[in-house]
Amino acid sequence: MRTPQISVVMPTYNRLGRLQHVISALERQQYPAECYEVIVVSDGSSDGTDDYLKGYRSERNLRWFTQANRGPAAARNLGIDKAKGELIVFVDDDVVPQPQLLAEHVRAHNEAARDVAVIGPLLSPDGFVMTPWVRWEQEMLMKQYRALQGGIWQASARQFYTGNASLPRARILAAGGFDENFRRAEDVELAYRLADRGLDFVFAMDAVGMHFAERSFTSWINAAYTYGGNDVIFARDRNQKWLLSAIENEFHQRHVLIRSLVGMCKGRPQLTSLTTSALKFAADAAGMLRVERLEEIAYSGLFNLQYYRGLRDEMSKTQSPSFLS
């Protein structure tokens, strides 16, 4: 197997405790030590991260940089600029790589025998207690992974999450790097530009990262809204004209309860707020009673309600016609 030089690029922001575990796991990779470096970019951390990195003595080639808080896109761009490797592997600061992660990324690139972007899975660690909304999100990811493994889906830009992914540095530079205007979905936006330039995507199930995901309910629900708005921006302003048609087709395939819920609440902010509260109450009650199916339905309703609200609100800024009108 060819052993390319790798630069692992990881932005971090106020996650010192988790960061220490990630760095330790990167030190124990089953990949030649002389063939990879680790680049950590502290994105304005204020929790002692910089002091920790300053005093850290790495068994591998670890370099770190700091910047004012400008978001993960800017942090990754800085890491890419400083990288020496021909292959960039992105890892998030809450994703603990399993020992074979780097070797499996390289294996996938070698098997492709051409330039590709490799997507590795973000799996739930055994024994790690997640909030129920994060647990729902992780299960949605697992459904994607099962579909990718089973050949139901082909890997695409829409599954390119930089918590665990890799591609040639030259390809990132040629595409212009991450767009720093986006603080969410900046990875997918870059992936769309990479796809426009002919880069293919492959899924490598054995390139495992354990995702210690922690997110408040407010952050989770706000993210769903932002994803909806960003999808409109990508379609309207980033030349992804196909995207809204794909989203419309997917909407019509959603469960009838989701479609009814979104239709009932469109243009009615007070009803949307009341429905959100009711769904959260239902989810909490289902969790206490351990009615898993009801809990899953409630969180699906919450996420989709906010996602389509974000999509509709962004479309209304330019009075664009919408299947949600």
Side-chain angles (χ1 to χ4, degrees):
M1 183 176 72
R2 179 172 174 269
T3 54
Q5 293 291 323
I6 292 174
S7 294
V8 180
V9 173
M10 175 171 54
T12 187
Y13 176 70
N14 285 352
R15 279 184 178 154
L16 176 56
R18 190 64 62 202
L19 174 68
Q20 292 170 329
H21 291 288
V22 178
I23 289 177
S24 178
L26 287 169
E27 298 272 15
R28 301 192 302 273
Q29 287 295 294
Q30 296 170 356
Y31 195 73
E34 68 276 11
C35 291
Y36 74 97
E37 64 174 352
V38 178
I39 298 176
V40 182
V41 180
S42 174
D43 185 34
S45 297
S46 58
D47 64 345
T49 290
D50 292 0
D51 289 337
Y52 164 74
L53 291 169
K54 188 182 299 182
Y56 187 77
R57 297 296 174 262
S58 175
E59 298 177 11
R60 299 291 186 267
N61 183 11
L62 184 145
R63 295 185 289 143
W64 71 280
F65 304 89
T66 187
Q67 64 177 26
N69 182 253
R70 294 166 52 206
R76 290 193 191 97
N77 281 342
L78 176 57
I80 293 161
D81 179 65
K82 301 296 183 181
K84 298 176 181 177
E86 62 183 285
L87 188 67
I88 301 292
V89 176
F90 293 113
V91 174
D92 276 350
D93 61 356
D94 60 352
V95 176
V96 176
Q98 296 302 281
Q100 76 280 10
L101 182 141
L102 292 184
E104 290 298 332
H105 271 280
V106 170
R107 183 186 303 279
H109 282 280
N110 286 336
E111 288 179 354
R114 66 189 190 284
D115 281 356
V116 294
V118 174
I119 302 163
L122 302 168
L123 303 186
S124 301
D126 291 339
F128 178 65
V129 179
M130 292 178 286
T131 54
W133 48 91
V134 171
R135 189 168 63 244
W136 174 86
E137 190 172 64
Q138 283 295 114
E139 179 53 33
M140 295 305 102
L141 276 177
M142 288 306 304
K143 287 183 178 180
Q144 288 187 33
Y145 299 151
R146 289 191 287 268
L148 290 167
Q149 275 191 294
I152 300 170
W153 290 0
Q154 294 298 313
S156 73
R158 296 181 80 182
Q159 289 87 46
F160 183 78
Y161 307 132
T162 43
N164 180 7
S166 64
L167 71 161
R169 179 174 181 267
R171 286 286 193 157
I172 305 172
L173 295 176
F178 290 90
D179 188 329
E180 297 177 14
N181 292 305
F182 295 100
R183 290 206 173 204
R184 290 195 189 278
E186 73 284 346
D187 42 9
V188 176
E189 192 278 332
L190 171 61
Y192 288 150
R193 285 185 278 124
L194 291 165
D196 286 345
R197 289 173 165 267
L199 192 69
D200 291 329
F201 296 80
V202 299
F203 178 62
M205 187 64 195
D206 292 331
V208 175
M210 305 308 294
H211 192 193
F212 288 81
E214 296 177 296
R215 187 182 296 183
S216 70
F217 178 75
T218 299
S219 175
W220 178 76
I221 210 75
N222 288 342
Y225 179 86
T226 302
Y227 290 144
N230 279 348
D231 275 346
V232 175
I233 294 170
F234 298 159
R236 184 188 64 213
D237 304 334
R238 295 296 190 271
N239 201 36
Q240 303 302 318
K241 306 301 184 186
W242 59 272
L243 184 55
L244 289 183
S245 294
I247 291 169
E248 180 176 1
N249 289 336
E250 291 164 1
F251 176 75
H252 292 304
Q253 294 170 18
R254 299 284 183 217
H255 193 284
V256 63
L257 291 177
I258 295 294
R259 287 185 278 121
S260 299
L261 183 69
V262 171
M264 178 182 69
C265 293
K266 68 181 180 184
R268 298 172 177 171
Q270 288 185 324
L271 181 58
T272 300
S273 179
L274 287 171
T275 303
T276 299
S277 297
L279 286 169
K280 182 61 168 64
F281 178 83
D284 290 343
M288 286 189 292
L289 296 172
R290 298 188 177 182
V291 185
E292 293 182 3
R293 180 55 181 157
L294 177 57
E295 185 181 43
E296 179 182 332
I297 290 170
Y299 282 114
S300 182
L302 283 162
F303 185 92
N304 280 282
L305 182 60
Q306 295 304 317
Y307 171 82
Y308 288 112
R309 184 171 73 90
L311 188 146
R312 186 177 59 248
D313 286 354
E314 184 61 38
M315 294 190 79
S316 69
K317 292 179 182 179
T318 54
Q319 298 182 333
S320 303
S322 170
F323 61 93
L324 297 174
S325 298

